[in-house]
Amino acid sequence: MPNSLIDFRDWTKTDLEQVLELSFSIEKEKNSEALKNKSAVLLFFESSTRTRMSFELACHRESMNCALMTMKSGSSLDKGESLEDTVMNIAAMDPDLFIIRVDSALNLEQISQKIQQPILNAGWGGYAHPTQALLDIRTLMKKGMKISDIKMLIVGDVKHSRVAHSHFQLSEKLGYQVAVLCPDEFKPSMAVKRFVDLNEGLDWSNAAMMLRFQFERHSEKHADQDFKKYQLSLKKLESWKNRGWLMHPGPVNYGVELDHDVESYSKNVILEQVNSGLWIRRACLRKVLGKK
Ligand code: CP
């Protein structure tokens, strides 16, 4: 069994299917003592609402103790201590698990070799956001989709998206299809099926994963038109031949990648993704700590 979840490379199809199954079975339990007396340290060095709150709630509902540090918390990071030294010092306090969100300033692979505790990646730069990809697939399974039938179109700023990169990996492990729809300047570096026409992309897919443009990761300024080119509105969704699922990892920039009116689209599952996040994160906590 893999120790950490930094990306999916060390996770087998069976490991991943077990986490998905566990996320459904624990849905019957509001609270559990499965991880009682275990302690988690949450280090959120980048902003987060969904991931941070769902990991905190997941820890509480598993009866864990958790301690949180953010960039803004008045830690010794203010005094010039490095992120790596921060993790090493907290590891010396012997928690059972780290949950870390960070940009490229910290290498999660390298730090995982230096500490004893497992790491759950809660979003690492533009590289990987594995629990997000798992919760996306769980959301579609909850809607009755077979994994092998999923054809997910990932739309927008694919190049900078850790969610897209995690889906590229997860789709190979679990056997679903992924394609991207993006302008040239936002295409990923790896080979992946790509559309440039919105209608062609939608016609191929049965789920559209819309992405926020990650302005904080852009090295140059782009024209507004680049961001609105593939915007989905209720009208476009209603004319989608496949009437697929509308997804977004959040946060949504309404008026950019999505029009405000998509809220009333009947197959909008954006908030259901958020709900799935809680169960996936509880399941991941149990998996890396070796509990069923
Ligand atoms: N999807 C996601 O990672 O959202 P947050 O940045 O709010 O955690």
Side-chain angles (χ1 to χ4, degrees), residues 3-6 43 45 82-92 98-121 124:
N3 189 29
S4 290
L5 178 55
I6 293 174
L43 303 178
F45 299 133
S82 70
L83 290 172
E84 182 170 318
D85 217 15
T86 301
V87 176
M88 297 297 289
N89 275 268
I90 297 169
F98 279 90
I99 299 166
I100 305 180
R101 167 165 292 199
V102 71
D103 62 16
S104 53
L106 181 69
N107 187 318
L108 293 187
E109 290 285 359
Q110 282 175 11
I111 198 77
S112 73
Q113 305 302 315
K114 295 185 179 177
I115 60 175
Q116 300 298 317
Q117 296 86 350
I119 295 178
L120 283 176
N121 171 3
W124 176 22

Side-chain angles (χ1 to χ4, degrees), residues 84-279:
E84 182 170 318
D85 217 15
T86 301
V87 176
M88 297 297 289
N89 275 268
I90 297 169
M93 298 172 204
D94 207 22
D96 294 297
L97 170 81
F98 279 90
I99 299 166
I100 305 180
R101 167 165 292 199
V102 71
D103 62 16
S104 53
L106 181 69
N107 187 318
L108 293 187
E109 290 285 359
Q110 282 175 11
I111 198 77
S112 73
Q113 305 302 315
K114 295 185 179 177
I115 60 175
Q116 300 298 317
Q117 296 86 350
I119 295 178
L120 283 176
N121 171 3
W124 176 22
Y127 178 61
H129 196 353
T131 58
Q132 178 70 45
L134 281 167
L135 74 86
D136 295 335
I137 294 308
R138 183 189 190 275
T139 304
L140 295 175
M141 290 170 76
K142 181 110 182 154
K143 289 296 177 189
M145 286 199 80
K146 264 176 65 183
I147 293 179
S148 56
D149 290 340
I150 295 171
K151 294 177 89 175
M152 182 185 286
L153 181 71
I154 304 182
V155 184
D157 186 357
V158 180
K159 181 177 173 179
H160 300 99
S161 171
R162 53 195 172 207
V163 178
H165 289 92
S166 282
H167 275 294
F168 299 153
Q169 276 190 348
L170 187 61
S171 59
E172 288 194 1
K173 297 265 168 165
L174 289 181
Y176 61 96
Q177 293 183 64
V178 172
V180 301
L181 173 71
C182 55
D184 270 351
E185 53 270 54
F186 295 109
K187 70 180 183 197
S189 55
M190 62 282 289
V192 55
K193 186 179 183 71
R194 179 172 166 233
F195 295 94
V196 286
D197 179 80
L198 177 62
N199 291 324
E200 282 179 21
L202 289 176
D203 284 354
W204 172 85
S205 65
N206 49 30
M209 176 71 74
M210 304 302 291
L211 297 175
R212 180 178 70 86
F213 284 87
Q214 315 243 323
F215 298 103
E216 70 277 22
R217 298 191 211 286
H218 296 171
S219 51
E220 50 197 68
K221 212 168 154 36
H222 296 275
D224 283 358
Q225 190 47 35
D226 285 342
F227 303 125
K228 295 202 177 174
K229 194 168 173 185
Y230 299 126
Q231 187 191 72
L232 283 183
S233 61
L234 183 60
K235 192 169 162 213
K236 282 184 197 159
L237 288 165
E238 298 286 9
S239 62
W240 183 358
K241 188 179 70 180
N242 301 332
R243 284 195 66 80
W245 303 104
L246 175 64
M247 310 183 81
H248 195 305
V252 180
N253 281 335
Y254 286 102
V256 185
E257 66 271 19
L258 290 178
D259 200 346
H260 297 266
D261 61 6
V262 301
E263 205 178 314
S264 46
Y265 180 55
S266 61
K267 295 180 81 176
N268 176 340
V269 290
I270 295 171
L271 289 178
E272 290 168 70
Q273 289 171 261
V274 178
N275 180 264
S276 271
L278 180 67
W279 308 109

Side-chain angles (χ1 to χ4, degrees), residues 47-52 101 122 129 132 162 249-251:
S47 305
S48 168
T49 297
R50 282 147 288 273
T51 314
R52 177 180 146 183
R101 167 165 292 199
H129 196 353
Q132 178 70 45
R162 53 195 172 207

